[in-house]
Amino acid sequence: LKNMHVRGNPWGYPPHERTRWADGLNVTFASKENSVDVLYFVGCACSYDPRGQKIARNLSTILEKAGVNFGILEKETCSGHEARRMGETGLFQFLSEANMALFEEAGIRHIITADPHDFYSFTQEYPANEDRLKVQHYVQFLNELIDEGKLEFLSKLDKKVTYHDPCYLGRRSEVFEEPRRLIQRIPGVIFV
């Protein structure tokens, strides 16, 4: 909890290393001066964990190839989800207000995230923002890009695939069909 408050992530990693995963990519920082259509809220795991960083890098590459005007926050901080789960509602409120201020300052109106926990917090627990922010999990957004013809699969993947619902995406946020729909759209995949 102290790490989330002081360093903006539960592990206590330095805040200035949060965006290091994007080195070498064409990822910009969203700001008032650098307006973006979509904010990719990376989250703590994808910012610091090497396995999660692969997700952040791959998703950023997909967004760029689809022509999405997106950016990340240079000073992103923890969504506060874990603090709320542990009953530290004051810290959750502090982090949610800090993030909402960053969103407002950068003129953000549309957020995507790969983290089901952040998605849940943004859609269910952050201050009322229905008229100010559109929040999507990346599977919802990728399906939209495919529907609009902005993203297409260029090769076949001969794999048998089973999908396990993340608790906070499925059971808590009731997002069940979009991940399955995305998987079933991949040429060659047999979905089980």
Side-chain angles (χ1 to χ4, degrees):
L1 294 171
K2 183 177 181 181
N3 284 333
M4 282 187 263
H5 184 260
V6 175
R7 296 207 163 202
N9 68 83
W11 304 288
Y13 291 122
H16 69 273
E17 293 180 5
R18 189 175 190 97
T19 60
R20 192 171 282 171
W21 62 268
D23 289 350
L25 295 177
N26 189 24
V27 176
T28 61
F29 294 123
S31 66
K32 184 177 257 180
E33 296 77 30
N34 188 28
S35 179
V36 297
D37 296 331
V38 177
L39 173 72
Y40 170 27
F41 189 90
V42 182
C44 296
C46 286
S47 292
Y48 293 108
D49 182 271
R51 292 172 298 173
Q53 289 173 341
K54 290 178 186 177
I55 295 168
R57 292 181 65 82
N58 288 336
L59 181 56
S60 294
T61 300
I62 290 168
L63 295 174
E64 182 181 5
K65 288 187 179 196
V68 176
N69 176 18
F70 80 100
I72 61 174
L73 292 172
E74 186 173 17
K75 295 183 179 180
E76 180 184 288
T77 190
C78 182
S79 71
H81 175 86
E82 287 77 11
R84 175 118 180 179
R85 301 288 75 75
M86 290 188 272
E88 185 55 73
T89 56
L91 178 56
F92 173 80
Q93 183 176 349
F94 169 79
L95 293 168
S96 67
E97 288 173 0
N99 278 316
M100 290 298 286
L102 287 172
F103 302 157
E104 185 68 30
E105 182 181 320
I108 302 303
R109 297 292 171 249
H110 187 182
I111 298 172
I112 62 168
T113 184
D115 187 311
H117 298 260
D118 294 340
F119 176 75
Y120 180 81
S121 289
F122 292 152
T123 59
Q124 305 296 320
E125 299 176 324
Y126 265 48
N129 62 29
E130 300 85 22
D131 58 338
R132 293 187 302 172
L133 284 175
K134 176 180 181 179
V135 179
Q136 292 181 294
H137 190 268
Y138 80 97
V139 297
Q140 296 169 315
F141 188 64
L142 292 180
N143 273 311
E144 283 183 6
L145 291 177
I146 294 169
D147 290 344
E148 295 168 3
K150 295 178 180 175
L151 184 64
E152 63 182 85
F153 293 98
L154 300 177
S155 60
K156 188 175 177 182
L157 183 66
D158 292 316
K159 297 278 183 184
K160 189 181 280 189
V161 176
T162 299
Y163 176 74
H164 175 83
D165 290 290
C167 292
Y168 275 89
L169 187 61
R171 189 172 60 223
R172 299 286 182 158
S173 298
E174 298 182 5
V175 176
F176 292 106
E177 295 309 315
E178 290 95 331
R180 288 162 174 78
R181 182 171 180 235
L182 187 59
I183 291 168
Q184 292 170 331
R185 296 174 103 162
I186 302 170
V189 163
I190 300 168
F191 183 67
V192 179

